[in-house]
Amino acid sequence: MAPSMEQDQLEGPINNGNASANVAFADEVPHISRVTVVGSGNWGSVASKLIASNTLKISSFHDEVRMWVFEETLPSGEKLSEVINRTNENVKYLPGIKLPKNVVADPDLEHAVKDSNMLVFVTPHQFMEGICKRLVGKIRKDAVAISLIKGMEVKREGPCMISTLISEILGISCCVLMGANIANEIAVEKFSEATVGYREDKEIAEKWVRLFNTPYFMVSAVQDVEGVELCGTLKNVVALAAGFVDGLEMGNNTKAAIMRIGLREMKAFSKLLFPSVKDNTFFESCGVADLITTCLGGRNRKCAEAFARNGGKRSFDELEAEMLQGQKLQGVSTAKEVYEVLHHRGWLELFPLFATVHEICSGRLAPSTIVEYTEHSARLPLLESPAHLN
Amino acid sequence: MAPSMEQDQLEGPINNGNASANVAFADEVPHISRVTVVGSGNWGSVASKLIASNTLKISSFHDEVRMWVFEETLPSGEKLSEVINRTNENVKYLPGIKLPKNVVADPDLEHAVKDSNMLVFVTPHQFMEGICKRLVGKIRKDAVAISLIKGMEVKREGPCMISTLISEILGISCCVLMGANIANEIAVEKFSEATVGYREDKEIAEKWVRLFNTPYFMVSAVQDVEGVELCGTLKNVVALAAGFVDGLEMGNNTKAAIMRIGLREMKAFSKLLFPSVKDNTFFESCGVADLITTCLGGRNRKCAEAFARNGGKRSFDELEAEMLQGQKLQGVSTAKEVYEVLHHRGWLELFPLFATVHEICSGRLAPSTIVEYTEHSARLPLLESPAHLN
């Protein structure tokens, strides 16, 4: 069991007059950490469930997990946060799944984060800049963050990863967690894996691993925050390409080839942007496994299939409205952002798959060009050699 | 157009008294190569189609492609080889697809190979040793080989790859060609990729690439014959694991995790056996793409799904007889061979996925153990560090 609120004052090792016992004790009872999950959509609710099952079991975490809820009034007239706290269920975004009782929904962002030193960010990526700006000066000085958010901001000066945005605005360390993680499957405790990416502090990464890891959710850490985050972001572009191939009924060889070429462009693009990115990251859950899950199921693939079946005559806006109840596809906006980077840096010819996906999404090319233009990619020797581009 | 039979004598550059023109001419008209495909099953027939379309177009290859047919009498009473030569169709193994007219079926093995210097081996792997022994002393001295065969021979002294078997028995160079290559999709000219693995001679590899490459079949070469061949072999074991997950209805996260862990074991096993194996090979068509195709479609996956649905109560022998008209699954025998290597070398604990697949196939473990035992694999740090095992 985790300690009670009173024990929260335990901020350092207790000196019991025995140096070696003291060291052991310091290992076993480190600072008690408090966790807040910023976000309560489908994935945020599942993340809260995973985390809250661990804070109950691991004594270095305070039991309670705060979950910030972007307040909504339900058709019944009740507030979403109140219903979550009364029923232990996010009836809107994760219906049918009970959350542990130590998950406390909180509609007040500043209040939700103020006592926590471990902040888990899991909101749609376009809200992150605003949320971070609201939190400046409102968080604990020893807070650290982890981002579960896919996507990036493309600014005039270049692409900015969400973990960098959080780090820079809040002045804190930020890891990422990505992987083959369809939320509803994890909610019913089917086995899956995930990857934590960290920059320098291995101890903090290990703490995140302990917080998320369960017998059915196996987490590993790699020192490659950009590689892990770019995998999570770019795979949605490849999923659109895979969806086009499905819609065109081109078969498994072609789909596998497009996925492989997509993985190759993901790796090359990541290494061009961040030379520290490691090849092995693409063999982790965040890499090849997430790519597979997303290209087999996933809404990017599904809408892209419908788009290709209609010969591109119905726009993504229209298909999203019909198939996703108004949610927007991450892949379509990421494809546009990636295209802007490629265009700005003169790399368009090096990434025919990425470039073609955006041209198809925006209606400038027919879906069938995905194969015809992309096969060129696999013939490019430059992709693996950033040095040639300088 | 390729030269006629008479031009076959053109074995060296012609000296026309002009040194620089002579060099250019030597480049353009090198030795004329003759090709024989040893094997005429589904993949052998498609390979003959690919090759024969190129020998017609590329002047350095003789038009005619000999295809050795293991002679069978069809229900009509006709010989298979005669029907192929009369109708330009392998009515038994590739019905509905016309072969180019320059494919000549030949039921006499020695006769089929005697004039060729490029031998393409594509038979079931258990026949290769016998075929090679029959060919000793019967092939051209300048012959080179390529193997399209998946599988390996496990002998007392360790595993022996088919390309090594061919090389050693016949005393000739042997490349391999593997990839995401469902034969029937290539037969109808849907886009796919393939990988040629070669040992040392890049020029020979490039010649094989020219022989196989078409606009819809994109071939690349990598200097890693063992890596490429082991990818093609081991992926069938992973496909069985993926099939079990499908049969147990565990969802896409779990399937992607099992495929990823399988790829990781493929890489680790290959590198332990052959330290020269390269990580990048697993990003080629023979690696991740073939794994994807095989785990999405493919008969290994399909039979394993049926096996798991029946809770392992119907044996693979029974399911194969019912679902594959008596053909045997490559994956089941490869899993056994791999298990023998692991057992012999004391590596069983390092490869829980490979080991568990064989234990399930042989009825010693329930299909559901595939996840329970395999998740252990991703936690093993040793896999990437062969040095630790010595």
Side-chain angles (χ1 to χ4, degrees):
Chain A
M1 278 298 290
S4 68
M5 294 281 275
E6 287 71 25
Q7 284 176 287
D8 230 354
Q9 300 144 17
L10 268 176
E11 287 285 323
I14 292 167
N15 189 330
N16 65 356
N18 175 324
S20 74
N22 189 16
V23 171
F25 194 67
D27 270 359
E28 283 161 32
V29 185
H31 303 190
I32 302 301
S33 292
R34 278 178 158 271
V35 184
T36 294
V37 177
V38 178
S40 55
N42 187 233
W43 186 208
S45 302
V46 175
S48 298
K49 176 178 187 270
L50 283 169
I51 291 169
S53 74
N54 278 331
T55 59
L56 284 180
K57 287 187 203 132
I58 304 172
S59 60
S60 56
F61 298 114
H62 193 285
D63 282 8
E64 186 186 285
V65 175
R66 287 263 147 188
M67 178 170 79
W68 174 60
V69 173
F70 181 80
E71 192 67 289
E72 302 180 45
T73 305
L74 298 174
S76 64
E78 289 175 292
K79 300 280 188 199
L80 178 58
S81 65
E82 288 164 11
V83 175
I84 293 173
N85 286 334
R86 182 167 53 77
T87 64
N88 301 119
E89 185 179 332
N90 186 335
V91 292
K92 178 145 187 193
Y93 296 107
L94 191 62
I97 302 291
K98 284 289 166 196
L99 300 175
K101 289 184 178 149
N102 52 323
V103 173
V104 177
D106 187 339
D108 179 336
L109 178 62
E110 285 84 347
H111 184 262
V113 301
K114 79 178 174 51
D115 294 326
S116 291
N117 61 332
M118 297 183 81
L119 306 176
V120 179
F121 289 100
V122 51
T123 69
H125 88 290
Q126 61 272 29
F127 301 145
M128 271 316 296
E129 190 162 354
I131 288 172
C132 286
K133 285 181 175 166
R134 274 177 66 190
L135 291 182
V136 173
K138 307 284 171 58
I139 58 170
R140 275 173 58 168
K141 291 210 162 45
D142 63 343
V144 293
I146 195 164
S147 167
L148 277 52
I149 301 163
K150 278 92 179 179
M152 57 185 175
E153 300 276 312
V154 179
K155 310 200 168 196
R156 191 173 290 271
E157 63 274 20
C160 175
M161 305 310 296
I162 301 295
S163 65
T164 310
L165 189 87
I166 295 170
S167 258
E168 288 185 352
I169 299 182
L170 294 175
I172 59 179
S173 142
C174 188
C175 293
V176 297
L177 182 142
M178 308 276 151
N181 300 152
I182 296 173
N184 288 330
E185 294 183 7
I186 301 167
V188 295
E189 307 193 358
K190 287 184 173 173
F191 175 71
S192 73
E193 300 180 296
T195 314
V196 163
Y198 66 98
R199 198 172 302 277
E200 278 156 14
D201 197 331
K202 197 176 176 185
E203 273 182 39
I204 295 179
E206 283 168 352
K207 204 163 150 184
W208 287 118
V209 169
R210 281 196 300 280
L211 186 66
F212 278 94
N213 195 67
T214 74
Y216 63 87
F217 190 71
M218 195 165 67
V219 187
S220 315
V222 297
Q223 188 174 11
D224 183 3
V225 67
E226 289 93 355
V228 174
E229 193 166 3
L230 277 162
C231 278
T233 303
L234 298 171
K235 59 113 200 273
N236 286 324
V237 181
V238 185
L240 292 172
F244 297 146
V245 172
D246 284 344
L248 297 163
E249 296 181 5
M250 305 190 74
N252 282 338
N253 287 348
T254 308
K255 185 168 177 180
I258 289 292
M259 288 168 67
R260 183 195 86 79
I261 294 169
L263 184 65
R264 186 179 148 125
E265 290 197 9
M266 285 167 60
K267 184 152 75 82
F269 184 76
S270 302
K271 291 172 83 165
L272 281 176
L273 286 186
F274 302 100
S276 63
V277 165
K278 295 171 183 157
D279 278 3
N280 266 337
T281 299
F282 297 82
F283 288 119
E284 296 293 332
S285 178
C286 63
V288 63
D290 194 11
L291 181 73
I292 291 169
T293 307
T294 313
C295 291
L296 294 190
R299 54 191 182 208
N300 286 286
R301 189 213 63 79
K302 191 176 155 192
C303 287
E305 181 181 359
F307 184 86
R309 281 198 195 286
N310 286 290
K313 288 186 191 114
R314 301 185 60 198
S315 72
F316 269 103
D317 284 342
E318 201 180 333
L319 292 166
E320 283 165 7
E322 184 177 301
M323 301 172 75
L324 305 177
Q325 291 82 43
Q327 273 189 285
K328 301 299 284 179
L329 282 185
Q330 194 66 70
V332 175
S333 59
T334 304
K336 182 167 182 286
E337 288 157 356
V338 168
Y339 190 92
E340 283 166 16
V341 175
L342 296 178
H343 180 69
H344 184 71
R345 304 207 175 185
W347 294 345
L348 276 172
E349 290 200 354
L350 294 178
F351 295 90
L353 184 142
F354 285 169
T356 305
V357 167
H358 173 63
E359 302 262 22
I360 293 171
C361 290
S362 57
R364 290 201 290 275
L365 288 177
S368 61
T369 57
I370 191 62
V371 172
E372 172 184 335
Y373 287 31
T374 294
E375 42 178 289
H376 180 59
S377 173
R379 302 194 200 265
L380 289 171
L382 284 181
L383 277 173
E384 299 293 334
S385 319
H388 285 98
L389 291 160
N390 296 332
Chain B
M1 277 297 291
S4 67
M5 293 280 274
E6 288 70 24
Q7 284 176 287
D8 229 353
Q9 301 144 16
L10 265 178
E11 288 285 320
I14 291 167
N15 190 328
N16 65 359
N18 175 324
S20 74
N22 189 19
V23 170
F25 195 67
D27 270 357
E28 284 161 32
V29 186
H31 302 191
I32 302 300
S33 292
R34 279 179 158 271
V35 185
T36 294
V37 178
V38 178
S40 55
N42 188 233
W43 186 207
S45 302
V46 175
S48 298
K49 176 177 187 269
L50 283 168
I51 291 169
S53 74
N54 278 330
T55 58
L56 283 182
K57 286 185 203 135
I58 304 173
S59 61
S60 57
F61 298 112
H62 193 285
D63 282 8
E64 184 185 284
V65 175
R66 287 263 148 188
M67 178 170 79
W68 174 59
V69 173
F70 180 80
E71 192 67 288
E72 301 180 47
T73 305
L74 298 175
S76 64
E78 289 175 292
K79 302 279 188 198
L80 177 58
S81 64
E82 288 166 11
V83 175
I84 293 173
N85 286 335
R86 181 168 53 78
T87 64
N88 301 119
E89 184 179 333
N90 186 335
V91 292
K92 179 148 186 188
Y93 297 107
L94 190 63
I97 303 292
K98 284 288 165 198
L99 301 175
K101 290 184 178 150
N102 51 325
V103 174
V104 177
D106 186 339
D108 179 337
L109 178 63
E110 285 83 347
H111 184 262
V113 301
K114 77 177 176 51
D115 294 325
S116 291
N117 61 331
M118 297 184 81
L119 306 176
V120 179
F121 289 100
V122 52
T123 69
H125 86 290
Q126 60 272 26
F127 301 145
M128 270 317 295
E129 190 164 354
I131 288 173
C132 285
K133 285 180 176 167
R134 274 179 64 191
L135 292 182
V136 173
K138 307 284 172 55
I139 59 171
R140 273 173 60 168
K141 289 208 165 48
D142 62 343
V144 292
I146 194 164
S147 167
L148 277 52
I149 300 162
K150 278 91 179 179
M152 54 185 177
E153 299 277 312
V154 179
K155 310 203 167 189
R156 192 173 291 271
E157 61 276 20
C160 175
M161 306 310 296
I162 302 296
S163 65
T164 309
L165 190 87
I166 294 169
S167 258
E168 289 185 353
I169 300 182
L170 294 175
I172 59 179
S173 143
C174 187
C175 292
V176 297
L177 181 142
M178 308 277 151
N181 300 149
I182 296 172
N184 288 329
E185 294 183 6
I186 301 167
V188 293
E189 308 193 359
K190 288 185 173 172
F191 175 72
S192 73
E193 300 180 298
T195 313
V196 163
Y198 67 97
R199 199 174 301 278
E200 278 156 15
D201 196 331
K202 197 175 175 186
E203 273 183 38
I204 294 179
E206 284 168 353
K207 204 164 153 186
W208 286 118
V209 169
R210 282 196 300 279
L211 185 67
F212 279 94
N213 195 68
T214 73
Y216 63 88
F217 191 70
M218 196 167 65
V219 187
S220 316
V222 298
Q223 189 174 11
D224 182 3
V225 68
E226 289 94 354
V228 174
E229 193 166 5
L230 277 162
C231 277
T233 303
L234 298 171
K235 59 112 201 275
N236 285 325
V237 181
V238 185
L240 292 171
F244 297 147
V245 172
D246 283 344
L248 297 162
E249 295 181 6
M250 304 189 77
N252 281 338
N253 287 348
T254 309
K255 185 167 176 181
I258 289 293
M259 287 167 67
R260 182 195 85 79
I261 293 169
L263 185 64
R264 184 179 150 124
E265 290 197 8
M266 284 166 60
K267 183 152 74 82
F269 184 78
S270 303
K271 291 173 83 165
L272 281 175
L273 287 186
F274 302 99
S276 63
V277 166
K278 294 171 184 157
D279 278 4
N280 267 338
T281 298
F282 297 82
F283 288 119
E284 296 294 333
S285 178
C286 63
V288 63
D290 194 11
L291 182 72
I292 291 169
T293 308
T294 313
C295 291
L296 294 191
R299 54 192 182 203
N300 285 285
R301 190 214 62 80
K302 189 175 155 193
C303 287
E305 181 182 359
F307 184 86
R309 283 199 194 283
N310 287 289
K313 287 185 192 114
R314 300 184 62 198
S315 71
F316 269 103
D317 283 342
E318 201 180 333
L319 292 166
E320 284 166 8
E322 185 178 302
M323 300 171 75
L324 304 177
Q325 291 83 43
Q327 273 190 288
K328 301 298 284 178
L329 281 184
Q330 194 67 69
V332 174
S333 60
T334 304
K336 182 167 182 286
E337 289 158 356
V338 168
Y339 191 92
E340 283 166 16
V341 176
L342 297 178
H343 180 69
H344 185 71
R345 304 207 175 185
W347 295 345
L348 275 172
E349 291 200 353
L350 294 177
F351 295 90
L353 185 142
F354 285 169
T356 305
V357 167
H358 173 63
E359 302 261 22
I360 294 171
C361 289
S362 57
R364 290 201 290 276
L365 288 177
S368 61
T369 57
I370 191 62
V371 171
E372 179 182 328
Y373 287 31
T374 294
E375 40 178 288
H376 181 59
S377 172
R379 302 193 199 267
L380 290 173
L382 285 181
L383 278 172
E384 298 296 332
S385 319
H388 286 97
L389 291 160
N390 296 331

